[in-house]
């Protein structure tokens, strides 16, 4: 038979015979670095998913080398229907949904840098002594009494009580505390204090299948926009130090919500996409320090308790902090040139204090990732972190020119927050 | 002149045509005549014009006047011979007279349907009128009128103590010029997502940025900690000049209060020498022009805070011409500053010394700064006396530094004329002296 007559080729080729050596090695060395043929890419103009993807990836490639201003302009140029996320919302359970939209893990309590115990922290004691703290206490008390007792004010509407007394009180204590603590924390002297700034952020998270219409069945990304107006904020020229390292393992999980955002309820609108930290790109104070928010009359705790929504008090505060701080830190990162395809190389840290005049809540946020739906990093293990306290009462009531039930711990926490400074 | 006469008038309501209609020339149109008739002092209420308007079929404009409607004759009231009315029948009956029904009372208080009583029936009504200066007042004669009303002598420029504070290098902020220019750029360019922020936004933003810069000096000047800002406070101060009563009332601006009073700027000799100064009058214009004249008032003196307020002394009043209030020319803005600084000082004097008129041994000083976002006006007012009835005697002093620009231009797009850039884009023409004066006024009393 022909098969028995043939010599096995493998044995012939592998035998180290001098006659076969040169012809055997020819095929092994053919792998040279210069590719002979160009890479096989999908079309640009075909009506196919791969063509669309190629166009998108080429656009992203183009943006990689651009200036931050051009990156922001190109990413926000086209207006599309997007979910408008309101930081201050009536939606029940909004904090879990917002954590899902922003890939944030919520950790109750504050990071180790701040102490919430009754004994004063050693670090705080070295920073300011008791006399300075008592001066700050009298300052805050005077501001409180000025708005609620000393200043003669007329009557206002029911829904304008916060605007009448809490807004000027917070304005006074923010500027007074920043000026007093400028001695201890020199970064506050080099800070910019904005009142009523505009903080905006626009991002993509996840995809949705268009349910009906002429584009039914197609997959499109889910765009989100936050337009926030805090009461005031402090911006500094350098970044605050991180609370935990960028790649640290944190046990808290980001809640996954299977329902679509419309069920929150969250509504879609189309208008200008803005990304702003409170000032334009040219401002040298491009990092955030602390934001201050006021709980409006609509969400005041007495009103929520009357509507038997007492759980919503804390949910509202958490949702407000997560949304506002994610928007602020995300915008800060975009101002530095990071975006979803070029993820942040260092964490962006900011703080927020939310108050209704009597109760204060403190929140810290660390932005570890902007790549929530990214082609460059499809399996992103990083998550953003938000620490927060429950609402702590500063005082019980005001009677006849006296503040009754004063709690020093809240003031200490406030001072610690303002004393946080960059590492240099 | 009738106030708020919004109802229409029918010319037929007059038995004699009002003089306004007769004097108008042939070139006036019908609507102008109509307006003149409406604004004249005899203006009865009429329901519907269209039924009674005569047809004017002539071709010349001079004959377009509306003939006045004849008044219905006065019906004599004879007791015992009243006409029978349809009141008893409870509905209209042709031939019977219209009954005189009592005015209908709702029986309960509806807050949306409140008609205020006539001024004469209000409890605070007084025969003698009072002239009130409020935040909307636009005085015709400006600073001259304010000086007459407050019995003050004008001194151009800021006093020497404050100018020396401005020039002292120990009172400067580090990198002052760079930081102030950044503050201006933030307020004028960077504070919004739109192309340019509006004046309502950049004017308060600039003021708060400058105050933030000044407040940073608290590290080196601990006296600055004994101050507090107060917004939307209401002032009340009343005095009489000659035979007229005057008051300064209402919210005016941002007030910086202090625990300790400002030191007097003019010595005793200068104060006594003001006795020779003659107040400038502007006859035939009355000094009460453009002030709100009212018969319903209360003579109140109040600093806006309770007696035990820990910061009782008014330090500086910051006024903003941000475009959301009725606009004022710089002259009128300076008058407003003088009046409200005087009002604060007078209210404080009333608290300290009561309502008696006397020359104060310790004069009260109140400062004021006004801005429209670019131009700054500085006023320092020293109240030397509360004897304001007569024009003679010791006068108060007002140092006024007018129209100090902080910068010349802050343009988004460059101004190009005939292909030459006249004014570049961005901030140009920064004047450092204006901020030095602002800082000096802030530090006065604590440095």
């Amino acid at each position: 038979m022909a098969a028995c007559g043939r010599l096995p080729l493998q044995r012939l080729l592998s035998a180290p015979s001098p006659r076969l050596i040169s012809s055997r090695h020819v095929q092994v060395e053919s792998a040279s670095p210069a590719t002979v043929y160009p890479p096989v890419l999908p079309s640009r103009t075909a009506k196919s998913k791969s063509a669309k993807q190629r166009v998108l990836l080429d656009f992203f490639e183009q943006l990689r080398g651009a200036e931050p201003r051009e990156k922001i302009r190109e990413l926000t140029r086209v207006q599309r229907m997007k979910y408008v996320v309101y930081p201050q919302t009536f939606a029940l359970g909004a904090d879990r949904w917002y954590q899902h939209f922003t890939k944030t893990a919520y950790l109750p309590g504050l990071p180790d840098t701040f102490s919430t115990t009754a004994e004063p922290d050693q670090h705080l004691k070295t920073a300011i002594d008791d006399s300075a703290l008592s001066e700050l206490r009298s300052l805050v008390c005077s501001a409180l009494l000025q708005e609620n007792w000393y200043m003669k004010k007329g009557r206002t509407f029911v829904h304008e009580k916060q605007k009448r007394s809490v807004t000027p009180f917070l304005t006074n204590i923010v500027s007074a505390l920043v000026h007093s603590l400028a001695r201890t924390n020199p970064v506050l002297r080099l800070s910019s204090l904005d009142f009523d700034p505009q903080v905006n952020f626009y991002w993509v998270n996840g995809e949705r299948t268009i349910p009906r219409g002429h584009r039914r069945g197609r997959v499109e990304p889910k765009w989100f926009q936050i337009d926030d107006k805090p009461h005031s904020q402090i911006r500094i020229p350098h970044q605050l130090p991180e609370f935990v390292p960028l790649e640290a393992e944190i046990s808290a999980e980001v809640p996954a919500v299977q329902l679509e955002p419309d069920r929150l309820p969250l509504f879609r609108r189309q208008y200008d996409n803005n990304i702003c930290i409170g000032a334009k790109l040219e401002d040298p104070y491009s990092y955030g320090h602390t934001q201050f928010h006021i709980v409006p009359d609509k969400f005041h705790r007495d009103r929520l308790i009357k509507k038997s929504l007492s759980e919503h008090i804390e949910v509202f505060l958490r949702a407000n902090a997560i949304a506002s701080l994610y928007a602020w830190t995300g915008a800060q990162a975009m101002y530095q040139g990071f975006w979803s395809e070029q993820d942040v190389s260092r964490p962006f840290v900011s703080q927020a204090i939310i108050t209704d005049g009597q109760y204060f809540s403190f929140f810290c946020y660390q932005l570890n990732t902007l790549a929530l739906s990214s082609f460059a990093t499809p399996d992103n293990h990083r998550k953003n972190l938000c620490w927060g306290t429950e609402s702590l009462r500063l005082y019980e009531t005001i009677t006849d020119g006296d503040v009754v039930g004063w709690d020093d711990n809240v003031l200490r926490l406030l001072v610690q927050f303002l004393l946080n400074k960059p590492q240099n | 002149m009738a106030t708020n006469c919004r109802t229409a008038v029918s010319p037929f309501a007059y038995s004699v045509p009002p003089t306004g209609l007769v004097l108008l020339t042939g070139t006036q149109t019908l609507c102008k005549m109509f307006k003149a008739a409406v604004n004249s002092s005899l203006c009865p209420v009429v329901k519907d014009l269209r039924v009674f308007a005569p047809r004017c079929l002539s071709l010349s404009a001079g004959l377009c006047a509306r003939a006045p409607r004849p008044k219905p004759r006065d019906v004599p009231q004879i007791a015992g011979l009243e006409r029978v009315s349809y009141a008893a029948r409870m509905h209209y009956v042709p031939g019977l007279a219209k009954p005189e029904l009592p005015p209908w009372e709702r029986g309960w208080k509806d807050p949306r349907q409140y008609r205020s009583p006539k001024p004469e029936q209000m409890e605070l009504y007084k025969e003698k009128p009072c002239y009130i200066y409020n935040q909307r007042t636009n005085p015709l004669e400006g600073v001259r009128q304010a000086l007459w009303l407050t019995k003050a002598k004008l001194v151009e420029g800021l006093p020497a103590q404050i100018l020396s504070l401005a020039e002292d290098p120990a009172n400067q902020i580090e990198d002052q010029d760079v930081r102030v220019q950044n503050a201006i750029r933030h307020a004028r360019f960077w504070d919004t997502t739109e192309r340019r922020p509006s004046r309502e936004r950049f004017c308060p933003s600039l003021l708060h940025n400058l105050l933030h810069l000044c407040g940073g000096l608290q590290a080196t000047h601990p006296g600055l900690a004994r101050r507090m800002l107060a917004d939307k406070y209401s002032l009340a101060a009343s005095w009489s000049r000659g035979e007229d009563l005057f008051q300064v009332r209402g919210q005016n601006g941002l007030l910086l209060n202090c625990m300790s009073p400002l030191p007097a700027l003019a010595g005793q000799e200068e104060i006594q020498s003001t006795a020779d100064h003659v107040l400038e009058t502007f006859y035939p214009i009355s000094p009460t022009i453009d002030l709100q004249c009212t018969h319903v008032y209360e003579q109140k003196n109040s600093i806006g805070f309770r007696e035990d307020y820990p910061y009782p002394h008014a330090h500086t009043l910051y006024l903003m011409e941000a475009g959301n209030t009725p606009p004022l020319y710089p002259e009128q803005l300076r008058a407003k500053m003088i009046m409200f600084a005087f009002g604060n000082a007078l209210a404080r004097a009333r608290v300290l010394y009561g309502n008696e008129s006397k020359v104060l041994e310790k004069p009260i000083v109140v400062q004021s700064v006004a801005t429209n976002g670019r131009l700054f006006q500085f006023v320092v007012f020293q109240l030397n006396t509360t004897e304001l009835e007569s024009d003679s005697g010791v006068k108060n002093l007002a140092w006024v530094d007018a129209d100090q620009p902080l910068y010349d231009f802050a343009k988004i797009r460059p101004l190009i004329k005939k292909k030459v850039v006249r004014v570049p884009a961005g901030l140009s023409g920064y004047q450092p002296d204006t901020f030095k004066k602002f800082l000096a006024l802030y530090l006065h009393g604590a440095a």
Side-chain angles (χ1 to χ4, degrees):
Chain A
M1 289 201 293
C4 306
R6 262 194 236 140
L7 283 172
L9 190 59
Q10 288 291 344
R11 275 185 60 194
L12 192 62
L13 281 178
S14 53
S17 148
R19 256 183 302 170
L20 286 175
I21 282 176
S22 58
S23 56
R24 198 183 53 193
H25 282 307
V26 161
Q27 270 145 61
V28 170
E29 274 186 16
S30 66
S32 57
T35 47
V36 181
Y37 299 104
V40 177
L41 292 171
S43 155
R44 283 195 68 119
T45 50
K47 199 178 156 187
S48 65
K49 287 185 204 165
S50 49
K52 279 192 158 21
Q53 183 146 342
R54 187 190 158 185
V55 166
L56 195 62
L57 291 177
D58 279 350
F59 169 65
F60 288 162
E61 248 339 286
Q62 228 181 329
L63 278 189
R64 268 174 220 277
E67 291 288 316
R69 172 193 295 283
E70 282 145 30
K71 281 182 195 166
I72 293 177
R73 172 73 191 139
E74 285 304 312
L75 289 169
T76 55
R77 192 171 49 93
V78 180
Q79 284 187 8
R80 298 181 186 93
M81 289 289 277
K82 57 193 175 179
Y83 289 103
V84 181
V85 175
Y86 289 95
Q88 299 187 325
T89 173
F90 52 82
L92 302 179
D95 59 339
R96 280 190 67 244
W97 288 77
Y98 287 4
Q99 284 179 268
H100 170 68
F101 298 146
T102 60
K103 206 174 176 190
T104 309
Y106 179 76
L107 301 154
L110 288 176
D112 302 324
T113 355
F114 306 111
S115 78
T116 41
T117 52
E119 287 114 40
D121 188 30
Q122 272 312 109
H123 168 72
L124 177 65
K125 263 208 132 121
T126 47
I128 49 166
D129 50 359
D130 283 332
S131 63
L133 192 69
S134 64
E135 263 180 44
L136 295 174
R137 187 187 309 131
S138 67
L139 204 71
V140 176
C141 282
S142 311
L144 190 59
L145 288 169
Q146 178 187 286
E147 294 309 323
N148 292 311
W149 174 252
Y150 291 124
M151 199 190 278
K152 293 183 187 168
K153 292 185 183 178
R155 298 188 318 182
T156 41
F157 296 108
V158 170
H159 59 270
E160 280 184 11
K161 281 201 189 127
Q162 298 286 83
K163 193 168 124 184
R164 182 183 109 133
S165 39
V166 178
T167 310
F169 162 58
L170 199 62
T171 312
N172 269 336
I173 59 169
V174 165
S175 27
L177 285 174
V178 165
H179 296 149
S180 302
L181 293 171
R183 203 179 323 141
T184 329
N185 187 0
V187 82
L188 289 179
R189 227 177 308 157
L190 292 172
S191 61
S192 167
L193 180 57
D194 314 326
F195 290 101
D196 249 349
Q198 273 178 305
V199 175
N200 305 355
F201 192 56
Y202 173 72
W203 78 103
V204 170
N205 186 9
E207 284 170 341
R208 72 175 206 136
T209 314
I210 300 172
R212 72 187 63 75
H214 67 281
R215 298 184 64 216
R216 182 193 153 138
R218 292 175 176 86
V219 170
E220 69 162 10
K222 279 196 275 206
W223 295 280
F224 294 87
Q225 168 89 46
I226 290 182
D227 297 315
D228 188 22
K229 276 202 125 171
H231 167 266
S232 51
Q233 65 184 24
I234 304 171
R235 281 179 300 117
I236 50 179
H238 306 289
Q239 179 69 63
L240 281 177
E242 59 190 25
F243 292 122
V244 293
L246 189 59
E247 304 288 350
E249 296 286 327
I250 304 287
S251 55
E253 286 300 319
V254 178
V257 176
Q258 306 303 330
L259 299 168
E260 50 181 14
D262 297 79
R263 301 284 296 271
L264 176 58
L266 211 59
F267 300 99
R268 305 203 307 151
R269 261 192 294 149
Q270 177 173 321
Y271 57 99
D272 267 339
N273 308 320
N274 288 323
I275 293 179
C276 182
I277 61 168
K280 291 188 181 155
L281 257 167
E282 294 89 3
D283 200 321
Y285 302 110
S286 48
Y287 292 96
H289 189 280
T290 315
Q291 263 185 351
F292 292 86
H293 295 261
I294 291 189
V295 174
D297 293 274
K298 220 165 84 156
F299 299 105
H300 195 76
R301 48 184 31 204
D302 300 333
R303 223 173 128 128
L304 290 176
I305 291 171
K306 230 195 309 185
K307 286 197 219 173
S308 56
L309 287 171
S310 34
E311 311 87 32
H312 190 61
I313 301 172
E314 298 299 328
V315 164
F316 167 86
L317 296 168
R318 284 198 290 268
N320 191 0
I322 290 170
S324 304
L325 285 172
Y326 174 74
W328 203 25
T329 45
Q332 289 169 47
M334 293 208 72
Y335 272 30
Q336 302 305 316
F338 300 108
W339 53 297
S340 55
E341 302 298 319
Q342 284 177 296
D343 210 356
V344 295
S345 56
R346 56 185 194 275
F348 284 77
V349 165
S350 292
Q351 302 164 149
I353 299 171
I354 308 183
T355 172
D356 67 352
Q358 194 180 8
Y359 288 83
F360 283 70
S361 321
F362 300 87
F363 295 92
C364 303
Y365 197 91
Q366 177 164 322
L367 184 87
N368 293 326
T369 174
L370 275 177
L372 304 184
S373 304
S374 165
F375 290 100
T377 43
D379 307 309
N380 191 3
H381 297 294
R382 297 192 204 166
K383 51 194 167 198
N384 305 319
L385 300 166
C386 180
W387 291 264
T389 62
E390 302 268 308
S391 42
L392 307 164
R393 196 175 67 182
L394 181 65
Y395 65 94
E396 196 181 318
T397 176
I398 297 176
T399 50
D400 285 352
D402 274 321
V403 178
V404 176
W406 181 264
D407 186 1
D408 249 353
N409 293 331
V410 181
L411 181 64
R412 279 206 193 93
L413 252 183
L414 187 54
V415 168
Q416 281 183 59
F417 260 54
L418 288 174
L419 287 178
N420 198 359
K421 60 184 172 195
Q423 275 159 355
N424 51 348
Chain B
M1 207 117 137
T3 51
N4 287 339
C5 188
R6 279 187 230 121
T7 51
V9 69
S10 163
F12 299 121
Y14 300 102
S15 51
V16 170
T19 45
L21 285 174
V22 170
L23 292 174
L24 290 170
T25 62
T27 51
Q28 303 275 345
T29 57
L30 183 60
C31 59
K32 275 198 182 168
M33 292 183 181
F34 177 69
K35 265 193 199 164
V38 164
N39 289 331
S40 73
S41 51
L42 319 162
C43 181
V45 175
V46 163
K47 290 176 188 62
D48 188 10
L49 270 188
R50 289 165 297 173
V51 181
F52 308 108
R55 291 294 192 94
C56 179
L57 299 168
S58 81
L59 294 171
S60 80
L63 296 174
C64 283
R66 227 166 242 184
R69 185 194 181 186
K71 246 192 197 167
R73 66 180 182 91
D74 285 328
V75 178
Q77 301 284 338
I78 306 166
L81 282 181
E82 294 96 3
R83 294 185 55 191
V84 179
S85 72
Y86 54 79
R89 299 281 291 270
M90 305 287 271
H91 64 92
Y92 172 72
V93 172
L96 297 185
K98 187 169 174 183
E100 285 220 11
L101 297 165
W104 175 72
E105 299 277 325
R106 192 178 303 272
W108 54 280
K109 184 183 152 207
D110 184 358
R112 286 160 63 176
Q113 310 278 349
Y114 171 70
R115 304 298 271 268
S116 60
K118 292 208 171 99
E120 290 80 16
Q121 286 149 14
M122 293 191 184
E123 13 178 277
L124 294 174
Y125 178 77
K126 294 167 183 66
E127 291 292 333
K128 186 173 178 187
C130 178
Y131 299 94
I132 300 188
Y133 195 103
N134 54 38
Q135 56 181 325
R136 294 177 58 103
T137 308
N138 191 344
L140 178 71
E141 286 293 321
V143 174
R144 285 199 298 177
Q145 190 173 355
L147 292 171
W148 189 92
L149 288 171
T150 57
K151 196 180 167 187
K153 177 182 169 192
L154 176 70
V155 181
E156 296 282 349
L158 289 174
Q161 293 97 321
I162 294 183
L163 289 173
S164 64
L165 265 181
E167 296 306 323
D168 189 0
N171 295 336
Q172 312 277 340
I173 309 170
E174 41 193 76
D175 301 328
Q176 182 168 301
D177 289 335
V178 171
R179 297 190 64 194
V180 172
Q181 284 176 307
N182 273 339
I184 301 170
R185 286 191 191 102
H186 171 259
R188 284 305 302 257
F189 304 129
W190 303 331
D191 197 22
T192 175
T193 46
E194 294 140 30
R195 271 174 64 84
R196 75 175 81 217
S198 59
R199 192 175 288 274
E200 281 100 5
R201 194 149 168 103
F202 79 67
C203 187
S205 172
L206 179 65
L207 189 67
H208 283 292
N209 286 349
L210 296 179
L211 283 173
H212 178 62
L213 277 178
C214 299
L217 278 176
Q218 209 175 1
T220 45
H221 298 75
L224 293 175
R226 298 151 56 81
R227 294 183 181 180
M228 183 71 72
L229 271 173
D231 198 6
K232 299 215 176 91
Y233 80 105
S234 291
L235 178 65
S238 62
W239 73 101
S240 58
R241 291 272 285 137
E243 288 153 8
D244 301 314
L245 280 172
F246 294 96
Q247 283 196 33
V248 164
R249 284 286 202 128
Q251 294 183 4
N252 30 67
L254 200 62
L255 184 66
L256 185 65
N257 286 313
C258 200
M259 279 185 183
S260 47
L262 278 171
L265 288 164
Q268 278 301 319
E269 302 112 24
E270 200 178 337
I271 295 173
Q272 295 306 324
S273 68
T274 59
D276 307 323
H277 172 77
V278 173
L279 289 174
E280 196 184 343
T281 50
F282 26 92
Y283 181 84
I285 299 174
S286 158
T288 59
I289 194 172
D290 284 327
L291 297 182
Q292 179 192 357
C293 173
T294 170
H295 290 265
V296 179
Y297 58 91
E298 186 194 351
Q299 281 195 291
K300 200 165 107 169
N301 285 292
S302 152
I303 54 172
F305 303 90
R306 288 183 200 249
E307 305 82 32
D308 46 350
Y309 184 47
Y311 306 91
H313 303 272
H315 186 276
T316 315
L317 179 63
Y318 294 98
L319 296 173
M320 282 186 283
E321 180 70 11
N324 45 7
T325 47
L328 291 175
Y329 283 113
E331 180 75 11
Q332 274 72 25
L333 186 59
R334 288 193 284 277
K336 181 175 172 181
M337 290 160 76
I338 295 175
M339 291 302 299
F340 282 108
F342 168 76
N344 274 302
L346 187 65
R348 186 78 202 130
R350 297 276 193 236
V351 165
L352 288 174
Y353 305 109
N355 282 345
E356 44 174 297
S357 310
K358 61 182 212 175
V359 178
L360 308 174
E361 317 81 48
K362 279 194 240 173
I364 301 174
V365 176
V366 176
Q367 298 169 156
S368 179
V369 176
T371 177
N372 69 349
R374 188 178 79 88
L375 292 173
F376 278 76
Q377 329 277 348
F378 301 110
V379 160
V380 182
F381 194 90
Q382 178 167 319
L383 186 76
N384 298 319
T385 170
T386 49
E387 281 170 4
L388 300 164
E389 283 83 10
S390 66
D391 276 348
S392 61
V394 167
K395 314 274 185 308
N396 304 314
L397 280 162
W399 289 266
V400 174
D401 206 1
D403 290 334
Q404 305 291 312
L406 185 59
Y407 52 92
D408 284 332
F409 295 99
K411 296 191 82 62
I412 304 278
R413 295 181 57 192
L415 179 68
I416 299 178
K417 293 265 189 202
K418 297 195 182 164
K419 297 188 189 172
V420 173
V421 175
R422 309 287 172 174
V423 179
L427 182 67
S428 55
Y430 169 66
Q431 315 277 345
D433 295 326
T434 314
F435 181 72
K436 284 190 192 149
K437 288 181 190 167
F438 183 93
L439 185 58
L441 280 179
Y442 184 84
L443 289 175
H444 185 218

